[in-house]
Amino acid sequence: MQKKFQKDSRYSEYDEDGDGIVTDAELAHVKEIKETETNLRKNLAQLRMARWTLIFMGVYAVFLASPFCSPEKLSGLAAVTDLIFLSGAGIVGGYMTVTCWPKK
Ligand SMILES: [Ca+2]
């Protein structure tokens, strides 16, 4: 007897041609699609992280150069500023390295 999915099963999406039978080829194709979707989400998250880090570093640099930041504040923020720019550059540099790395 052939197995069937229950009505509105979440696995029915695996039957790509809609003939009611999930073949091994369809399962393999779905697995490939899911892996691609996961990689795309991961790449998008990394891109957003690098982008917002760059934006934050730019805004922070503008703040430091603005009249809102007095020399006393500037010297007080010196240690934190070093950490922010070093870690931000690390994040962006890591992203650039990973995205430019040749794929196997
Ligand atoms: Ca099918």
Side-chain angles (χ1 to χ4, degrees):
M1 195 180 126
Q2 189 154 19
K3 293 171 181 71
K4 289 181 180 174
F5 291 122
Q6 67 184 45
K7 194 170 190 277
D8 298 328
S9 168
R10 67 188 175 110
Y11 297 108
S12 58
E13 70 173 302
Y14 297 170
D15 183 19
E16 294 179 319
D17 55 9
D19 63 354
I21 301 167
V22 179
T23 62
D24 289 348
E26 285 173 329
L27 273 180
H29 190 217
V30 166
K31 184 180 175 223
E32 203 174 297
I33 290 172
K34 297 279 183 196
E35 282 173 2
T36 304
E37 285 174 351
T38 302
N39 283 336
L40 286 175
R41 271 197 299 275
K42 194 173 103 184
N43 289 349
L44 186 62
Q46 290 170 340
L47 172 68
R48 284 182 180 150
M49 191 172 68
R51 184 182 291 158
W52 283 105
T53 301
L54 268 178
I55 290 171
F56 174 76
M57 286 164 60
V59 169
Y60 192 70
V62 169
F63 166 74
L64 291 179
S66 73
F68 299 112
C69 192
S70 61
E72 300 85 47
K73 256 191 216 171
L74 201 59
S75 61
L77 287 172
V80 179
T81 303
D82 290 348
L83 275 178
I84 286 175
F85 281 102
L86 279 175
S87 55
I91 289 171
V92 175
Y95 172 75
M96 296 302 284
T97 304
V98 168
T99 53
C100 295
W101 208 262
K103 304 273 188 286
K104 286 181 265 177

